[in-house]
Amino acid sequence: MDETGSPVNQTMYRGIIGSLLYLSASRPDIVFTMRLCARFQSNTKESHLKAAKRILRYLKGTHDLVLYYSSGYLVDRKSTSGICHFLGSFIISWGTRKQNSVALSTVEAEYVAATSCCAQLLWIKQ
């Protein structure tokens, strides 16, 4: 937090933060610092802009770093759901499993997980 620093153009700063947010999906090494910088979008000072530019310089110097998945690792795009059922404060059932279908959105994946959880509860009830 820099309350005494000189203010800078918020539009440019928000553009940089937006670009970094987009990159954070493939560069998990910048997520923490990018989100820390994003907290100051409404009251941007020169020190915040310097920090954002430092992240950009880091990205320029590390453009050859990538996440590598071997050819044997097959991603099927199916979400994995985890469920726990409690009776009072005692756990009576738990499990994880890969969903049967590919969800096109996070909401749809949550809906499929909730449906699976309800089916498990009905089985326990019987």
Side-chain angles (χ1 to χ4, degrees):
M1 190 185 269
D2 184 13
E3 295 177 3
T4 60
S6 59
V8 295
N9 184 357
Q10 288 183 356
T11 305
M12 179 181 65
Y13 185 76
R14 288 179 181 170
I16 292 171
I17 295 300
S19 298
L20 291 174
L21 182 63
Y22 177 75
L23 282 174
S24 69
S26 62
R27 294 293 302 261
D29 53 335
I30 66 166
V31 171
F32 177 76
T33 53
M34 180 273 310
R35 289 191 178 167
L36 192 60
C37 288
R39 293 174 55 191
F40 301 101
Q41 292 184 64
S42 63
N43 190 14
T44 307
K45 304 291 183 185
E46 191 174 341
S47 61
H48 304 129
L49 183 61
K50 283 183 182 179
K53 286 183 178 180
R54 184 177 175 127
I55 297 171
L56 292 174
R57 283 193 304 273
Y58 168 78
L59 289 171
K60 183 179 179 182
T62 59
H63 63 84
D64 56 336
L65 295 178
V66 296
L67 292 176
Y68 176 73
Y69 297 102
S70 65
S71 60
Y73 182 73
L74 300 175
V75 179
D76 57 3
R77 299 178 53 125
K78 293 182 182 178
S79 298
T80 302
S81 300
I83 56 172
C84 293
H85 296 102
F86 290 88
L87 183 59
S89 61
F90 301 103
I91 190 165
I92 59 170
S93 173
W94 67 90
T96 61
R97 70 179 199 145
K98 201 169 278 235
Q99 293 180 354
N100 294 331
S101 60
V102 176
L104 299 177
S105 68
T106 305
V107 174
E108 187 178 355
E110 293 293 330
Y111 179 77
V112 171
T115 304
S116 175
C117 182
C118 290
Q120 179 73 15
L121 283 173
L122 289 173
W123 180 81
I124 290 172
K125 184 180 175 184
Q126 291 177 350

